[in-house]
Amino acid sequence: MTRLSSLRARLASFDHAYLLAIRLSERSDQELFVVRTGNPIQPYRVTARPPANDEQMVLRVA
């Protein structure tokens, strides 16, 4: 298992992705998704595209 630094772990957390998605949605009318990637370096990401087959949608910000 990949060990992350404390800063990377905080930046790669669900909480950080959630806050980023909220901030971005306040600045645009775009629908955003927080997805779980399965990648230990980037376990969550914010995207305007629906999740790919190997990703799991965790949150939808409209």
Side-chain angles (χ1 to χ4, degrees):
M1 182 170 161
T2 304
R3 184 160 169 91
L4 303 178
S5 71
S6 60
L7 177 58
R8 179 175 287 279
R10 190 172 24 155
L11 292 174
S13 71
F14 169 77
D15 292 337
H16 189 263
Y18 171 74
L19 290 173
L20 179 62
I22 296 298
R23 287 183 190 150
L24 290 173
S25 72
E26 290 172 350
R27 295 179 184 210
S28 74
D29 293 334
Q30 203 171 28
E31 182 176 60
L32 298 171
F33 301 91
V34 175
V35 297
R36 185 183 334 246
T37 66
N39 180 345
I41 300 298
Q42 185 186 24
Y44 298 96
R45 70 181 180 92
V46 177
T47 180
R49 296 181 185 169
N53 290 337
D54 61 339
E55 299 173 326
Q56 178 185 12
M57 181 173 62
V58 179
L59 178 73
R60 181 177 176 183
V61 180

